[in-house]
Amino acid sequence: MLKTIFSFDYMAHDRFVAPAREKAQLWRLFVGLIATAGILMICSPLIWQFLYHVMSDEGYRALYEDFETLLLPQSVLVLLFSFGMIWIAVAAVVIGLHRRRPETLIGPPTIAFLQAKFVIVALLLVMGALMALPPYGHDPALLDGLAFAQWLTFLLPALIAVLIQTSAEEVLFRGYIQQQLAARFAHPAVWMVIPSVLFGLAHYSPGTYGGNAWLVVIWASVFGMIAADLTARSGTLGPAIAVHFVTNVSALLLIAPQGEMSGLALYQYPFTANDEAAIRAFLPIDFAVMIVCWLAARLALRR
């Protein structure tokens, strides 16, 4: 079983990359990324125009003013749902520039769904085991976030929003960029590392994390490598989306640091994201959990 879990047989990745091979020129990838960024810059303001017309003046003003800190659940939902623009942008680029169907970014949909389901079940079992094993409780103690009744009210749209956000990031980094690079370069050092580093750099936020900003970049880059490995192992984005989804549900909807992006959390840690000492102590634990989740996902995908 261990041999199967730690196998780096990436034959399924060849099938995943095949639709990108016909138009794999690097210039297409560069132009595609620039076009994706341009579409996002043009279309993102439309979200606020839409909200302005459908919301009351008071509600819109409160939402707009909170968007810097994302303390309101509505603000976090708007941010997460806005990632759907990445889906639209990448799909437009793939159709217009690469002449292929957007679903090829995911792999066979039925297989992707089944693999995601297996991985989510495995991760839920891991999370349950971690909660059941000592030490029990949190030290220091957690703080209350949303009231439970209010949290339940937001739970379904929040789950949908997290799915949109995580799948959009996977489609961009592990779907589009990884596929196009792998269609041009055979060595995993190219198609695994470059998208993962870009994914890590996208999380660079010194205003949020202070002196830990580069540690968070490293953490996110390692997560990107894990997602790239699962994609190459499975031949679809299903497992990577599943791991990303469960990770972000835990970090955004269950327990979040106080302050920025805490609007949907049921509980909060007694520190903020810019508390450098607390985050530095927390990251190794989070890293260890991430590795355990990766191994659990690989176990779920064993053949």
Side-chain angles (χ1 to χ4, degrees), residues 19-41:
R21 296 194 189 281
E22 184 177 349
K23 298 188 183 298
Q25 298 91 339
L26 286 179
W27 70 263
R28 291 183 188 271
L29 174 59
F30 294 142
V31 172
L33 291 176
I34 292 171
T36 298
I39 294 172
L40 292 176
M41 290 178 63

Side-chain angles (χ1 to χ4, degrees), residues 1-283:
M1 181 178 292
L2 286 176
K3 184 178 180 180
T4 303
I5 295 173
F6 289 102
S7 169
F8 289 92
D9 173 13
Y10 288 157
M11 289 183 61
H13 194 241
D14 290 335
R15 297 190 295 272
F16 178 65
V17 173
R21 296 194 189 281
E22 184 177 349
K23 298 188 183 298
Q25 298 91 339
L26 286 179
W27 70 263
R28 291 183 188 271
L29 174 59
F30 294 142
V31 172
L33 291 176
I34 292 171
T36 298
I39 294 172
L40 292 176
M41 290 178 63
I42 292 171
C43 294
S44 293
L46 299 179
I47 297 173
W48 288 102
Q49 290 294 323
F50 172 77
L51 293 173
Y52 177 78
H53 288 291
V54 300
M55 297 180 67
S56 66
D57 290 343
E58 182 179 350
Y60 178 84
R61 190 179 305 111
L63 186 69
Y64 188 83
E65 291 175 353
D66 182 66
F67 214 68
E68 287 293 322
T69 55
L70 300 168
L71 297 178
L72 293 175
Q74 296 90 338
S75 304
V76 182
L77 282 177
V78 169
L79 176 65
L80 296 175
F81 275 115
S82 71
F83 277 75
M85 299 302 301
I86 295 178
W87 265 103
I88 295 172
V90 176
V93 165
V94 165
I95 293 171
L97 192 60
H98 298 276
R99 299 294 190 271
R100 60 186 175 106
R101 301 189 308 275
E103 60 266 29
T104 60
L105 293 163
I106 301 173
T110 301
I111 297 175
F113 175 78
L114 289 174
Q115 290 174 337
K117 183 175 69 173
F118 294 149
V119 170
I120 286 177
V121 170
L123 296 183
L124 290 177
L125 291 174
V126 167
M127 297 297 182
L130 291 176
M131 293 176 63
L133 294 173
Y136 302 109
H138 288 265
D139 185 21
L142 298 176
L143 305 176
D144 289 333
L146 281 178
F148 185 69
Q150 188 181 16
W151 183 78
L152 282 179
T153 300
F154 283 103
L155 183 57
L156 180 57
L159 289 172
I160 295 171
V162 173
L163 180 59
I164 290 173
Q165 177 254 322
T166 52
S167 62
E169 290 187 349
E170 293 305 318
V171 161
L172 174 59
F173 289 99
R174 259 64 66 180
Y176 182 54
I177 300 177
Q178 180 168 320
Q179 272 187 341
Q180 291 302 134
L181 287 175
R184 187 70 175 80
F185 303 99
H187 203 289
V190 177
W191 52 260
M192 287 185 76
V193 174
I194 291 177
S196 300
V197 170
L198 293 175
F199 180 72
L201 291 173
H203 288 75
Y204 179 70
S205 180
T208 300
Y209 299 108
N212 291 325
W214 284 109
L215 288 177
V216 173
V217 168
I218 294 172
W219 182 96
S221 298
V222 173
F223 182 90
M225 292 287 290
I226 285 173
D229 168 78
L230 293 175
T231 300
R233 181 84 172 109
S234 64
T236 79
L237 285 187
I241 292 174
V243 173
H244 203 159
F245 174 75
V246 172
T247 299
N248 281 20
V249 165
S250 176
L252 294 173
L253 307 188
L254 298 180
I255 313 173
Q258 287 182 293
E260 187 174 343
M261 288 291 289
S262 64
L264 285 170
L266 181 61
Y267 296 102
Q268 297 180 7
Y269 292 109
F271 53 80
T272 62
N274 58 16
D275 186 332
E276 295 184 11
I279 294 296
R280 199 173 291 120
F282 176 77
L283 280 177

